[in-house]
Amino acid sequence: MAQPEHGSGPRLADAPEEWEVRSTEVPFRGKKTSVRADDVVMPDGGVARRDYQVHPGSVAVLALDEQDRVLVLSQYRHPVRQKLWEIPAGLLDVPGENPLRAAQRELYEEAHVKAEDWRVLADVYTTPGGCDEAVRIFLARRISPAEGARFETFAEEAEMEHARVPLPDLVRAVLAGDLHNNALVVGTLALSAALTGDGPDALRPADAPWPARPFEP
């Protein structure tokens, strides 16, 4: 519910709510996700079917180096038939792994990098009209090469390109419509906003609560 805030417009916050589900079917189960069909009671008393993808959730990492460049990589994405520039990201598919550890793992696996300072940039639902995927986007700073052997990649990840791009260049590419990956777009614009606002140190801590995907510390 919107709450008034001194000196600005109303403070907005999404709120939990759950409408009655008369029946549920799972017509498809995949390796990591499934499709669910719910018959949902509408406010007027009618019932409408809502089909959506059930997703374990994801994490993404906007890694910023000492020259204020963002670590990005390109990967083929078959559903959209494009090779997209992205930030390191992955599924919450390891049992018992909290989001920060998952983000640290993805940064190591996809970029062979570690970071000493972690913050939460943003929490988003990618496509809430048709999927329950929730993504936590982290800011990782004070990065350096990871120890040990590089993680062995395969399938789409085997041919990833890597680059480090100044943040203003990424902002311009996003606004020009040249970059489309959800986590990259949100993370880039969120960090740009943070830098012109209270600064990265004012961002939420890396272990901030995440109601969409509750976790153990």
Side-chain angles (χ1 to χ4, degrees), residues 41-119:
V41 179
M42 298 289 110
D44 63 2
V47 176
R49 172 149 291 201
R50 294 290 178 260
D51 302 326
Y52 58 99
Q53 182 186 27
V54 178
H55 194 284
S58 307
V59 291
V61 185
L62 193 149
L64 195 67
D65 70 10
E66 68 283 353
Q67 299 178 47
D68 291 333
R69 298 176 302 176
V70 177
L71 192 158
V72 294
L73 49 91
S74 66
Q75 186 171 347
Y76 175 66
R77 294 300 187 181
H78 186 69
V80 295
R81 307 300 198 272
Q82 290 191 24
K83 197 170 186 180
L84 302 180
W85 284 101
E86 307 179 352
I87 55 178
L91 300 176
L92 290 169
D93 58 354
V94 176
E97 187 177 49
N98 74 24
L100 175 58
R101 294 193 189 98
Q104 292 168 335
R105 173 174 56 81
E106 291 295 340
L107 187 60
Y108 160 71
E109 291 179 357
E110 295 194 347
H112 199 64
V113 165
K114 64 180 180 179
E116 296 183 32
D117 185 85
W118 290 82
R119 311 275 171 162

Side-chain angles (χ1 to χ4, degrees), residues 59-62 87-89 124 126 135 137 180-188:
V59 291
V61 185
L62 193 149
I87 55 178
V124 297
T126 55
V135 182
I137 305 171
H180 306 90
N181 174 263
N182 181 285
L184 183 149
V185 170
V186 173
T188 294

Side-chain angles (χ1 to χ4, degrees), residues 8 12 26 30 34 87 129 148 162:
S8 66
L12 304 181
V26 182
S34 60
I87 55 178
H162 293 78

Side-chain angles (χ1 to χ4, degrees), residues 103-190:
Q104 292 168 335
R105 173 174 56 81
E106 291 295 340
L107 187 60
Y108 160 71
E109 291 179 357
E110 295 194 347
H112 199 64
V113 165
K114 64 180 180 179
E116 296 183 32
D117 185 85
W118 290 82
R119 311 275 171 162
V120 175
L121 262 178
D123 297 326
V124 297
Y125 292 115
T126 55
T127 49
C131 180
D132 72 351
E133 180 183 13
V135 182
R136 168 155 282 190
I137 305 171
F138 290 90
L139 171 65
R141 295 183 294 172
R142 297 167 61 190
I143 65 174
S144 61
E147 293 90 0
R150 295 189 70 94
F151 182 78
E152 185 176 353
T153 57
F154 59 95
E156 293 94 342
E157 296 181 351
E159 295 186 352
M160 287 193 301
E161 299 176 61
H162 293 78
R164 296 192 180 194
V165 182
L167 180 66
D169 291 354
L170 282 183
V171 172
R172 283 191 286 271
V174 167
L175 297 180
D178 295 331
L179 300 173
H180 306 90
N181 174 263
N182 181 285
L184 183 149
V185 170
V186 173
T188 294
L189 298 183

